Amino acid sequence: MEGQLHRIDVTVLPTGFFRPAGLASEIAGNWSPALSPDGRHAAYVSDRSGTPAVWVQPVGSELTFQIAFPEPVTEVAWSSGGGWLACQIAPGGAPRHEVWLVRPDGSDPHQVAGFGEDTAENMRWLPGRPVLALTENLTSTVLVDVVAGTRDVIAKGDLVSLCDVDPAGRFALLRYGPRGSRRIVLRDLATTFDEVITPGEVAVFSPGGGCVYARSEDGEFPALVRIAGGTTEVLASGPAEVESFAVTADGRTAALLWNVRGGESLLELLDLDHDGHGQKQSVPLPGAVVTGLCWSFDGSTLAFTAEGPGQPHGVWACDRDGANLRAISAEPAAVDAVHPTLATFPAHDGRTLTGWLFTPAGTGPHPTVIWLHGGPEAQERPGHGPLFQSLVRRGIAVLAPNVRGSSGFGRDFVNADNIGLRYGAIEDVRSCVTYLREAGIANRVGVMGRSYGGYLTLAALCAYPELFDVGIDVCGMSNFATFYEHTEPWIASAAISKYGDPGADADLLRDLSPIHRIDRLRAPLMVVHGENDSNVPVIEAEQVVAALAARGMPHRYLLFPGEGHELLHRSSRAAYLRETIDWLTTHLQP
């Protein structure tokens, strides 16, 4: 049914179904762990019921309790006093978020942020206080006191986000700036005087407020630093990125998450009692990729999310010393999962590119799909990928590269595609095809990606039409002019440093927009989009589909009602998986 619009109906599955019929390849995931103050209970987000929701359970028990919301939940945080859960909600599946408070038993739900057309993000309970810090629209930083019932705006500005407030309430840590050029500012709340303390995005006060811990981006690779009295001390750095960190409420231990070897995780516990130069303890990981570090308020338990090839997101915990690793809620990895190898190959200009390569059994060449991640500052990592596993089982290889602009490889690499340098990222896709063919891996080649990866898919298909046999654009930008016109204002403002100014760089952005070269496209193209997407609005898909229809080009259009920039319902993802496999096998294995 090429050329026809498919509206994919979303069916919410009943509570308690872990492996619903027809969804065998879309196993439930669990993420965003939050621990009770004593570490004995956990809240987390799971889509085991078909839609992401909050679940609460005792650590070490399989008894679970669902807190129902009418809309998908994307994140949860447990107050240090234990009386409240803060839940980030995505109405209609869209990127706009609301923040609701609810008791751990599911009672007294009420909204505190993200009203009307506003969006709220970056939730953080202030340690030892019944106060929730958050940011709205990247223009207002807000403190919600759940006891007093007050809501105070403590700072306003363009592209501002609230990181933390000191225990005395005198100073705030704010993040300012667009993507790729953000800085941490110490603000005196009485005088509104600002002092830039480091380039970066994440910072917290020590428990006493006497110093600041930050993920500093002052060097080539982000490092953990401690800032006090105008002096910056590097606590952890190396030829790899400090991806994130979490400090216990007593200030004695930091959990330190490294991004190593092209996207694998390394978790260490750093003793902060000895001026930050104490012993480091490595934590054995249950999956290749870890995110979402979270300490209980008493510091007894560390929780995190882990995943790997064929292993969905699961929530895990360990003791303060890294021992007693146990699953809170996690599915085992598939026994027949294909594990990728890390491929290394040159770009057109001599830069080194890497990618995770999944190959079927038997000798090549194979029909192959190049998968391009979003961002562009995101990174392809060896995590859970049901699409990759399904394709490999059908004899189709997958290369998931990290082209220039990806994170995880240092500051120079992540900035190597900014504005006019974007042509180099498009050429990186051609370098992927060159590698696959010269290495004898690929014969027929397809390309696909989502968000920025969808844009890059369209750009490569139009720049090098002779290289590809099929393509899939998932919520990608096709026209920078209409993207800037219709996306959320705060998204547009933050994107200028990466893509260019829609006024000053209009000619460049027009030349980089695939819609103006769509007549060069030759490969059959499937276009996928969420109807409620306000990050990359659906007009980006509609332009492409209309242009292909006018030219009589083979295409298929999948539109998901009730979904936004991400497909949050498992039934949507299962339908997407089914249609994607069908499209690729049809055109790569004719």
Side-chain angles (χ1 to χ4, degrees):
M1 305 197 323
E2 294 181 7
Q4 182 174 340
L5 166 65
H6 293 243
R7 290 178 63 91
I8 305 297
D9 292 327
V10 177
T11 301
V12 179
L13 299 166
T15 300
F17 278 31
F18 281 72
R19 295 177 184 265
L23 295 185
S25 295
E26 261 302 327
I27 302 171
N30 310 281
W31 64 93
S32 185
L35 293 170
S36 63
D38 59 6
R40 296 175 62 184
H41 290 77
Y44 54 89
V45 179
S46 176
D47 58 3
R48 60 173 61 130
S49 65
T51 302
V54 177
W55 293 75
V56 181
Q57 72 181 71
V59 175
S61 169
E62 294 184 359
L63 297 173
T64 60
F65 168 72
Q66 181 183 1
I67 298 178
F69 282 97
E71 300 285 357
V73 182
T74 58
E75 186 178 340
V76 61
W78 205 316
S79 66
S80 56
W84 294 98
L85 299 177
C87 305
Q88 184 174 277
I89 311 296
R96 188 184 75 79
H97 292 132
E98 299 172 356
V99 173
W100 287 66
L101 298 182
V102 65
R103 296 289 187 180
D105 64 1
S107 63
D108 196 15
H110 59 283
Q111 187 179 357
V112 296
F115 297 97
E117 296 301 313
D118 291 340
T119 187
E121 61 181 3
N122 197 26
M123 304 185 307
R124 171 176 165 77
W125 287 103
L126 300 186
R129 290 163 279 178
V131 178
L132 181 68
L134 52 86
T135 302
E136 288 184 322
N137 306 329
L138 289 182
T139 58
S140 298
T141 63
V142 180
L143 293 181
V144 178
D145 189 315
V146 299
V147 173
T150 58
R151 187 184 128 95
D152 297 319
V153 176
I154 63 169
K156 282 182 169 289
D158 291 333
L159 300 179
V160 63
S161 186
L162 178 59
C163 298
D164 202 5
V165 177
D166 80 307
R170 296 178 51 204
F171 297 95
L173 293 170
L174 306 176
R175 186 197 77 191
Y176 276 103
R179 291 158 57 179
S181 185
R182 287 170 174 156
R183 59 198 183 277
I184 301 296
V185 169
L186 177 68
R187 167 166 291 190
D188 186 316
L189 294 175
T191 66
T192 69
F193 176 75
D194 288 345
E195 177 188 358
V196 178
I197 58 174
T198 187
E201 301 191 15
V202 181
V204 296
F205 286 104
S206 64
C211 66
V212 171
Y213 293 100
R215 179 181 179 266
S216 174
E217 299 178 20
D218 198 28
E220 178 65 13
F221 293 96
L224 176 65
V225 302
R226 178 164 49 197
I227 303 166
T231 300
T232 299
E233 177 188 10
V234 177
L235 301 181
S237 65
E241 291 195 352
V242 172
E243 183 177 354
S244 65
F245 69 95
V247 178
T248 53
D250 62 10
R252 298 176 58 190
T253 307
L256 191 61
L257 191 61
W258 295 86
N259 183 330
V260 299
R261 195 179 170 268
E264 294 178 328
S265 295
L266 172 66
L267 178 58
E268 293 183 324
L269 302 177
L270 176 63
D271 180 3
L272 296 175
D273 273 347
H274 300 84
D275 297 325
H277 300 290
Q279 183 179 2
K280 291 181 182 178
Q281 175 68 45
S282 293
V283 178
L285 298 181
V289 180
V290 165
T291 55
L293 301 178
C294 169
W295 287 104
S296 60
F297 182 65
D298 67 359
S300 65
T301 309
L302 175 69
F304 52 85
T305 300
E307 60 172 313
Q311 176 187 351
H313 294 86
V315 174
W316 297 75
C318 67
D319 292 345
R320 186 180 184 125
D321 61 358
N324 192 23
L325 179 69
R326 65 268 195 198
I328 296 175
S329 182
E331 293 279 348
V335 294
D336 60 344
V338 175
H339 290 257
T341 58
L342 187 61
T344 302
F345 51 96
H348 63 282
D349 58 358
R351 277 188 181 271
T352 298
L353 303 178
T354 62
W356 292 100
L357 179 64
F358 298 76
T359 52
T363 58
H366 309 278
T368 303
V369 175
I370 297 171
W371 164 267
L372 302 169
H373 66 69
E377 308 95 322
Q379 182 184 10
E380 193 60 47
R381 309 179 71 174
H384 178 51
L387 175 61
F388 299 171
Q389 298 292 327
S390 297
L391 290 173
V392 171
R393 291 192 188 101
R394 288 165 173 80
I396 298 175
V398 179
L399 175 67
N402 283 301
V403 299
R404 69 192 65 202
S406 304
S407 62
F409 304 92
R411 182 167 60 179
D412 177 70
F413 195 82
V414 81
N415 290 328
D417 69 338
N418 288 354
I419 311 179
L421 301 177
R422 193 148 315 282
Y423 295 103
I426 300 170
E427 276 210 70
D428 283 350
V429 184
R430 179 167 65 168
S431 297
C432 293
V433 179
T434 300
Y435 159 70
L436 289 168
R437 294 196 185 281
E438 291 183 350
I441 296 167
N443 41 40
R444 297 176 66 82
V445 177
V447 61
M448 67 177 296
R450 69 168 305 277
S451 192
Y452 173 78
Y455 159 77
L456 204 56
T457 292
L458 293 173
L461 287 169
C462 294
Y464 314 113
E466 72 284 356
L467 296 183
F468 302 104
D469 298 286
V470 66
I472 301 179
D473 157 33
V474 185
C475 63
M477 300 164 292
S478 62
N479 185 339
F480 279 112
T482 52
F483 164 73
Y484 273 114
E485 180 181 356
H486 294 282
T487 190
E488 302 285 5
W490 52 89
I491 294 176
S493 296
I496 288 174
S497 60
K498 294 300 295 183
Y499 302 138
D501 187 286
D505 301 313
D507 291 342
L508 171 68
L509 291 173
R510 177 181 174 83
D511 192 58
L512 284 166
S513 296
I515 195 66
H516 300 301
R517 288 188 172 86
I518 204 72
D519 59 323
R520 289 175 50 84
L521 189 146
R522 294 292 177 267
L525 179 67
M526 185 164 78
V527 179
V528 183
H529 222 98
E531 193 171 41
N532 298 335
D533 193 346
S534 60
N535 185 329
V536 179
V538 73
I539 190 175
E540 298 303 301
E542 292 171 343
Q543 295 176 77
V544 174
V545 172
L548 296 177
R551 290 165 175 79
M553 294 294 295
H555 66 282
R556 184 181 297 179
Y557 182 24
L558 270 61
L559 183 64
F560 286 88
E563 298 283 11
H565 197 56
E566 303 273 355
L567 298 181
L568 296 181
H569 299 85
R570 286 177 61 204
S571 51
S572 295
R573 296 201 304 274
Y576 160 75
L577 187 64
R578 181 182 63 249
E579 296 288 336
T580 297
I581 292 170
D582 176 69
W583 186 255
L584 293 174
T585 53
T586 296
H587 294 286
L588 288 178
Q589 296 176 324

